[in-house]
Amino acid sequence: MPAQTYDALLRSLAKGELAPVYYLHGPEDILKDEAVDAILDRALEPGLRELNLDQRSAGQLDPEAIFALCTTLPMMATRRAVVLREVEAWKRRPKTRAAFLSYLERTVAETVVILIQGSTETDADRDLVRGAFSVECEPLAPERARRWLMRRAKRLGVALEDAAADHLLAATGGELGAVAAELEKLRALPSDQPITADQVGALVGVRHGETVYDWRDAALDGAAGRAARMLAPLLDQSGVTAVRLVSLLGTSLIGV
């Protein structure tokens, strides 16, 4: 089966469909965590969740443990789930990997297995992609990232002005993990009024109008003086380097 998108996974779960094995890979770890929660919510009965959920590090298991985890019957429920993290460690444990590939050929109907590959491993395991419901958790496009931000903010009870949402995405470079961390901070602000862009800037430490994208726009618009004045505060920001700025400018020029 070819790798599916994160949205395809959510659509499948919304229809009530469950695969026997899921394989989550790609650079966006926060999407993997959300995918795990969505699968478990569909697979397990809430009151019996703890009794029928095993979470392990894949690299610490031997072939016998893999077989036992995947074939144990659920307790007082129709289904149980097994979450195996860091499956890239199976490169160093070929016998354990082989044992799981054997399980893939004859899965147990009562068990849902979720395999999670770390973001530092760039290549997907072809055998797992072929045998499981494979989900490639890639960075979201800007508009989809904005919708994700607004959904997460709503769940946290954080009301944002449109400009504040835009600035939060720009200040974090659209990195979902950073967005989630900043939203947790914003929960502490008074909730009687929507949060403004200036409040986001004060909390994140990146003022409105001084993000890397504002610098890029100034450079491309020929506003050399404004772009130059922005360099010092930009380079003081966490994660911003001269290499990143030049790369952003180059990517934008290629796009133009």
Side-chain angles (χ1 to χ4, degrees):
M1 177 187 296
Q4 304 291 310
T5 65
Y6 177 72
D7 287 345
L9 167 67
L10 297 184
R11 288 194 296 269
S12 172
L13 294 173
K15 295 177 183 177
E17 300 170 354
L18 269 176
V21 180
Y22 291 92
Y23 171 42
L24 311 177
H25 55 96
E28 278 292 2
D29 284 334
I30 196 164
L31 290 184
K32 297 173 196 172
D33 290 339
E34 289 190 354
V36 170
D37 289 339
I39 296 167
L40 294 180
D41 286 344
R42 173 60 64 182
L44 300 179
E45 299 173 28
L48 301 171
R49 182 171 176 139
E50 296 304 319
L51 293 175
N52 291 295
L53 174 61
D54 273 303
Q55 301 196 62
R56 304 291 181 87
S57 173
Q60 297 177 359
L61 300 174
D62 57 29
E64 291 75 18
I66 283 287
F67 179 80
L69 279 171
C70 295
T71 59
T72 298
L73 293 176
M75 184 176 296
M76 298 184 294
T78 57
R79 193 179 292 109
R80 65 189 298 274
V82 177
V83 179
L84 300 178
R85 300 183 182 275
E86 301 173 346
V87 296
E88 64 273 18
W90 280 346
K91 287 185 175 181
R92 301 185 298 274
R93 299 182 71 91
K95 291 183 179 179
T96 303
R97 180 178 179 275
F100 187 80
L101 292 180
S102 296
Y103 173 77
L104 269 179
E105 297 175 0
R106 184 176 293 183
T107 58
V108 174
E110 293 83 4
T111 303
V112 174
V113 180
I114 307 172
L115 308 174
I116 306 171
Q117 181 169 291
S119 57
T120 57
E121 182 67 31
T122 57
D123 296 329
D125 186 308
R126 293 182 181 179
D127 292 324
L128 296 180
V129 170
R130 186 164 48 247
F133 189 113
S134 172
V135 183
E136 192 167 8
C137 298
E138 293 284 349
L140 300 180
E143 187 53 39
R144 289 183 61 207
R146 195 181 194 282
R147 292 198 297 269
W148 180 91
L149 183 160
M150 298 307 290
R151 286 197 302 270
R152 193 172 185 92
K154 184 177 181 179
R155 288 202 303 270
L156 295 174
V158 176
L160 295 168
E161 291 184 354
D162 287 342
D166 293 338
H167 182 53
L168 181 54
L169 283 175
T172 57
E175 296 179 8
L176 301 187
V179 171
E182 297 302 336
L183 282 175
E184 290 292 341
K185 298 177 187 176
L186 292 171
R187 295 178 71 180
L189 295 180
S191 58
D192 53 329
Q193 296 291 333
I195 294 170
T196 67
D198 287 339
Q199 288 175 300
V200 170
L203 194 64
V204 176
V206 181
R207 291 192 299 179
H208 190 229
E210 291 188 355
T211 69
V212 293
Y213 302 103
D214 295 313
W215 173 83
R216 176 203 60 189
D217 293 344
L220 292 178
D221 289 343
R226 180 158 62 93
R229 288 193 297 273
M230 293 171 64
L231 278 176
L234 274 177
L235 292 173
D236 285 338
Q237 295 174 18
S238 176
V240 177
T241 64
V243 172
R244 180 183 173 189
L245 293 176
V246 172
S247 297
L248 174 63
L249 190 58
T251 301
S252 301
L253 285 170
I254 292 172
V256 173

